[in-house]
Every structure is written in structure tokens, then in C-alpha cells.
Amino acid sequence: MSRKHPIISVTGSSGAGTTSVRNIFEQIFRRENIEAAQLEGDSFHRYDRAEMKAKMAEAEAAGNRHFSHFSPETNLLAELQETFATYAATGRGKCRHYIHDQSESEKYGAPPGTFTPWEDLPEHTDILLYEGLHGAVKHGDIDTGKHADIRIGVVPVINLEWIQKIHRDSKARHYSTEAVMDTILRRMPDYVHYICPQFTETDINFQRVPTVDTSNPFVARWIPTADESIVVVRFRNPHGIDFPYLLSMLHGSFMSRANSIAVPGNKFDLAMQLILTPVIMQLMDQRKRAVR
């Protein structure tokens, strides 16, 4: 943690909606004139797409049918932790990009499924935003979350998470439903051991809950809409949270526990703006005082 060089870590699994939360942060940064460096969790995978496919085949041949991107062995977690530590100390660090599709391939000039070369983060930034799988992971000597000033969890209930992943991978990556199901099953042990425990470490969790039947996510024809959802927001430490203000601004919301508020799904973006803007501005005030 650093007053001069604060870090926000947004953590969630594939298809959970972390990208939408990142977009909200970008809106706040733009509105408040904050210069942010960004780290993508995918860029800290250990293997590119072809290498991962080969490693997965090797693991399966050896009897391991749970080799996945969620595990510490397939990610550069020590390097991620070092990047967080370096940024917190100096405001500098290294980054690269994982190229997901053809549009990104044209942007970066490399084939999909590969990485761009490592390069320096932009200079003179105010804050670092990480979005990915392992922003608050603890494993052996690894504790990425200890360097983050604010840790955000994005955690749809599991059936909704699966529906979102199936629809995303089917539409954007042209995978069959059966292929996505195989991926979900392969990742499950690592999901339980390395993804879920992070949400105990996060400072704020946003959990989207559908209000329609999602009992069989593998045959769902569409993703439940915002109007068909509620969002449960859990604060690890509710001290200082102005719940009466949030309840008055978010029509239809209610307190579900002393540290939790339930918000209509169509107010999700507004809820994030109202909750996260004061958090970011507090970090910026601390940074200004520390720089002086």
C-alpha cells in the first residue's frame, strides 16, 4: 500500500463482469481528470494460447484433467506481486498485453493468443488499476492483495457466472456450449481453491443475483437483464459508509445486513459510481498530501 502511488485491484473470474467494472473506473478517472496506469490479469498468464493448449494436453495425458488458467502454476504471480510492489514504491513497473482476438491483433500487430513484449508502464500516473483473476490471491509466499489500497470483488452467483461465460465464449470466441462446459469443469478445483478465497480478502464485493430461473445455466438462451437482477454490495468494513445516503440515491435498494446493501440491477452502474467515486477521491487526496 502506498499513499503516493495507490493501487486498485479488481478481481473476478472469466465471465464475471470485471471488464464492466473497469469501464466504470475509466469513466470516473476521465471525469475527475485522473491519470491511471492499467494492468490486465491475462497478461500475467505464464503461457500463450498455443503453449497452454500443449501444456493442457500434456497434463491430461499424465492424468491431470484440471489444468487451468486459474492455478498459480499457469500464472506469473510472483511477477504480478513484484509489479504491485514496484508501483507502490516508485510509480513504475512493467506491463504487456494478451491479444484476445483479431481486432486486438490488428491493434498490436501480433497474432491472437500471443503476448506483446514487456514494456514500461506510462510515467507520471496517479493510480494503478488491475483487473483480472488474481488481484487478491494468497498462495505460499504470494499475497498480491497486500500491495493494493482497495480490493474489489466482482462475483455473480455461480449459475449466472456460467451463463455469462457460455454466452461470451460462444459469441466472441465461437466455442460450442460443450467446449465451454468442459472448461468450466476443468477449472472447478482451481476456482474453489484460488478464486473464491480472494473474495474474503476484498474490501468491497459486487455480487449480481438473478431474479429469474437460472437453474440450468447450460440451456439458458439469454443472460438475465439488469431489470431481472439485484446486486448485493458487501463492505468488509462498513465504518464510514453513508448507508442512508446510498439508500436515498438508489431507489428500491435496502439493507440486507449491517455491512450489505441490495440494489436493483438497473442501478448497478449508478451504485458503483456513488460507492467508488468517494473511495478514489480519498486515495487522490492522500496522494496529494503525500506528494507535498
Side-chain angles (χ1 to χ4, degrees), residues 40 43 95-99 104 107-111 113-119:
E40 302 165 355
S43 67
C95 67
R96 65 178 178 178
H97 300 280
Y98 177 76
I99 301 171
E104 291 186 1
K107 178 179 178 180
Y108 293 110
T114 62
F115 298 103
T116 63
W118 290 100
E119 59 184 6

Side-chain angles (χ1 to χ4, degrees), residues 193-221:
H193 289 106
Y194 304 114
I195 303 300
C196 287
Q198 294 183 85
F199 303 122
T200 306
E201 306 297 326
T202 45
D203 299 295
I204 306 172
N205 282 339
F206 294 95
Q207 184 171 43
R208 189 170 162 220
V209 182
T211 56
V212 293
D213 182 16
T214 59
S215 10
N216 186 353
F218 305 107
V219 298
R221 295 186 178 181

Side-chain angles (χ1 to χ4, degrees), residues 49-175:
R49 190 174 295 169
E51 290 171 335
M52 186 64 183
K53 192 174 291 186
K55 292 290 183 182
M56 197 179 300
E58 290 176 14
E60 188 158 352
N64 177 9
R65 302 194 64 183
H66 300 293
F67 190 80
S68 83
H69 274 312
F70 287 1
S71 75
E73 291 73 26
T74 57
N75 289 276
L76 304 174
L77 296 186
E79 287 81 352
L80 174 60
Q81 179 169 266
E82 178 61 26
T83 301
F84 279 7
T86 300
Y87 187 88
T90 67
R92 305 299 302 276
K94 295 285 187 180
C95 67
R96 65 178 178 178
H97 300 280
Y98 177 76
I99 301 171
H100 293 89
D101 51 34
Q102 191 58 41
S103 63
E104 291 186 1
S105 175
E106 294 170 2
K107 178 179 178 180
Y108 293 110
T114 62
F115 298 103
T116 63
W118 290 100
E119 59 184 6
D120 291 328
L121 287 169
E123 294 186 31
H124 310 302
T125 55
D126 301 311
I127 199 167
L128 175 66
L129 175 66
Y130 166 88
E131 177 257 317
L133 293 170
H134 298 108
V137 72
K138 287 185 175 182
H139 176 67
D141 296 333
I142 301 297
D143 183 0
T144 57
K146 71 179 180 181
H147 297 291
D149 297 82
I150 298 295
R151 293 155 298 194
I152 308 293
V154 185
V155 204
V157 291
I158 196 161
N159 277 19
L160 177 56
E161 184 172 330
W162 288 350
I163 290 171
Q164 291 180 172
K165 179 167 178 57
I166 290 166
H167 280 250
R168 187 197 66 174
D169 286 2
S170 299
K171 183 176 180 180
R173 302 177 184 177
H174 308 294
Y175 294 167

